[in-house]
Amino acid sequence: MEMNRSMLMYVLPILMSIAALEAAAILLWRKQSYPWRESLASVAIAIGQRLSGLATAGLIAGLFTGLWQWRFFTVDMTSWWGPVLLFIGIEFFYYWQHRTMHECRWFWANHAVHHSPQHINLSGAYRIGWTGAITGAALFYVPLLFLGFSPQAISIALVLNLLYQFWLHTELVPRLGWLENILNTPSNHRVHHAINPQYLDANYGGVTVIFDRLFGTYVAEKADDACRYGLVHQMNSNNPFTIVFREWIEIWRDVRTSRTWGDALRYIFKSPGWSHDNSRLTSEKIKALARAEEEQTPTMPSSPQQNLNSASHGNLQTSAATFAKPETI
Ligand SMILES: [Zn+2]
Ligand SMILES: [Zn+2]
């Protein structure tokens, strides 16, 4: 965890410089506009995330070091197969951690921050929530400890995985042929960030998309279906605090107004967009509505003013929007 901390503190300025070069390329080469305010908000959130990481890294490191005593095996990381097994293990648990972040609102509350920009560019790569430690998302990697990978080895592997993902956040890199089938690429990650209904809940991998292919969540970018980015209920704010805490506040509102303890728990832990009266849209519903529209057998929702506050992500400006108009902030 120490490594995690210092590496990101050290590399963050370098990565921001590369993001600035990308901004120049977008402005001068592509002759497109650049979302400066959004990018500055991302930088502020990235710095805040590092500071919150400083406060919580010790806790996680302590927990992992304690659990390491209970391991069943000790993997020899000087062997050729040790790092290979760790890479596969990290990819596997990263996939399930990331998928759960999208499918369970408790984790989504923190992860939604990363998905909040309405443009994809390098500056947004480390727009990461400040409340990751509170959610306990690090516990997804505990099985690797029991299997014999040390806290240091896991930490380094995770940092390298996260660093790899930096270059995925750009529109400047086109599709990369056969590599798209194996690696997580800018194209595959654009799909992950897209809110078009057919792109929802796809491509959760870190360095590869192998587990997406295995578990049926791989979706390729289509030339005739340009990605649109952001959240179902777009975050039309560049205030870092609003961005970081919005979903937590929404959860608190839902819990406070719940009529039963069961509903309160379901508002916290079920999919984003779940509601006790079925008045909101989850990703699953958005995709089903879009499919129904495609098949030209539209299914109208019960209310035209659906409350879409917390649906994980889906594009309200696309086909799903023809069924329900969103409220925007
Ligand atoms: Zn995600
Ligand atoms: Zn991303």
Side-chain angles (χ1 to χ4, degrees):
M1 302 302 150
E2 186 66 34
M3 178 68 87
N4 183 332
R5 214 156 70 202
S6 50
M7 269 185 80
L8 278 186
M9 283 301 265
Y10 179 69
V11 296
L12 208 51
I14 298 172
L15 298 179
M16 284 172 185
S17 307
I18 300 171
L21 287 177
E22 187 206 27
I26 290 169
L27 286 165
L28 304 173
W29 174 44
R30 282 280 182 98
K31 308 250 183 266
Q32 292 171 343
S33 61
Y34 187 79
W36 288 108
R37 287 170 190 275
E38 189 179 82
S39 294
L40 286 174
S42 295
V43 171
I45 292 169
I47 293 168
Q49 194 272 337
R50 283 297 76 220
L51 294 175
S52 71
L54 285 176
T56 52
L59 269 177
I60 296 170
L63 176 71
F64 272 46
T65 307
L67 290 173
W68 168 241
Q69 316 300 323
W70 297 88
R71 65 192 180 274
F72 298 115
F73 315 100
T74 303
V75 176
D76 178 9
M77 290 304 286
T78 60
S79 65
W80 69 266
W81 50 269
V84 172
L85 283 183
L86 178 59
F87 174 75
I88 296 168
I90 287 283
E91 278 292 294
F92 178 79
F93 288 107
Y94 180 86
Y95 172 87
W96 283 107
Q97 182 203 44
H98 192 183
R99 185 166 169 175
T100 309
M101 285 175 174
H102 282 257
E103 294 180 350
C104 170
R105 197 181 179 194
W106 172 257
F107 296 101
W108 173 247
N110 184 62
H111 189 57
V113 175
H114 180 61
H115 283 270
S116 59
Q118 294 176 36
H119 306 82
I120 195 164
N121 56 51
L122 295 175
S123 74
Y126 298 118
R127 181 190 279 223
I128 298 171
W130 301 347
T131 51
I134 293 169
T135 65
L139 296 178
F140 277 85
Y141 300 103
V142 165
L144 289 174
L145 283 174
F146 291 133
L147 289 172
F149 297 100
S150 71
Q152 292 78 10
I154 293 171
S155 175
I156 291 167
L158 279 173
V159 168
L160 293 177
N161 202 303
L162 206 61
L163 282 175
Y164 172 84
Q165 293 187 46
F166 175 68
W167 81 292
L168 305 181
H169 298 83
T170 185
E171 288 197 310
L172 296 184
V173 178
R175 284 182 59 76
L176 300 174
W178 60 272
L179 279 176
E180 301 290 343
N181 296 320
I182 306 160
L183 284 181
N184 200 5
T185 60
S187 172
N188 286 333
H189 203 59
R190 286 194 288 271
V191 167
H192 178 67
H193 275 265
I195 54 177
N196 315 37
Q198 55 278 27
Y199 288 155
L200 287 178
D201 293 347
N203 303 354
Y204 295 113
V207 174
T208 75
V209 286
I210 288 168
F211 290 109
D212 285 288
R213 293 189 148 271
L214 212 58
F215 297 119
T217 51
Y218 178 73
V219 177
E221 189 180 25
K222 293 172 189 70
D224 61 350
D225 195 4
C227 293
R228 291 170 292 268
Y229 308 103
L231 304 167
V232 163
H233 192 52
Q234 291 287 18
M235 181 79 69
N236 293 318
S237 168
N238 289 312
N239 180 329
F241 293 95
T242 305
I243 294 167
V244 165
F245 296 112
R246 185 183 81 170
E247 188 65 18
W248 288 115
I249 293 166
E250 299 282 345
I251 291 177
W252 172 240
R253 279 192 194 131
D254 287 333
V255 166
R256 233 183 34 190
T257 53
S258 289
R259 284 183 297 182
T260 67
W261 282 98
D263 278 353
L265 288 172
R266 282 184 276 272
Y267 271 117
I268 299 172
F269 294 109
K270 284 195 78 95
S271 299
W274 178 88
S275 58
H276 69 285
D277 57 359
N278 239 357
S279 62
R280 303 178 188 176
L281 293 179
T282 60
S283 291
E284 281 306 314
K285 280 193 211 167
I286 292 168
K287 285 199 277 192
L289 287 169
R291 274 196 300 271
E293 187 194 39
E294 248 173 45
E295 290 159 12
Q296 304 210 329
T297 50
T299 311
M300 296 299 288
S302 52
S303 158
Q305 284 298 320
Q306 298 248 351
N307 184 347
L308 305 170
N309 273 356
S310 348
S312 82
H313 37 67
N315 185 11
L316 302 173
Q317 273 69 54
T318 62
S319 22
T322 59
F323 298 96
K325 281 275 176 230
E327 26 174 289
T328 46
I329 297 178

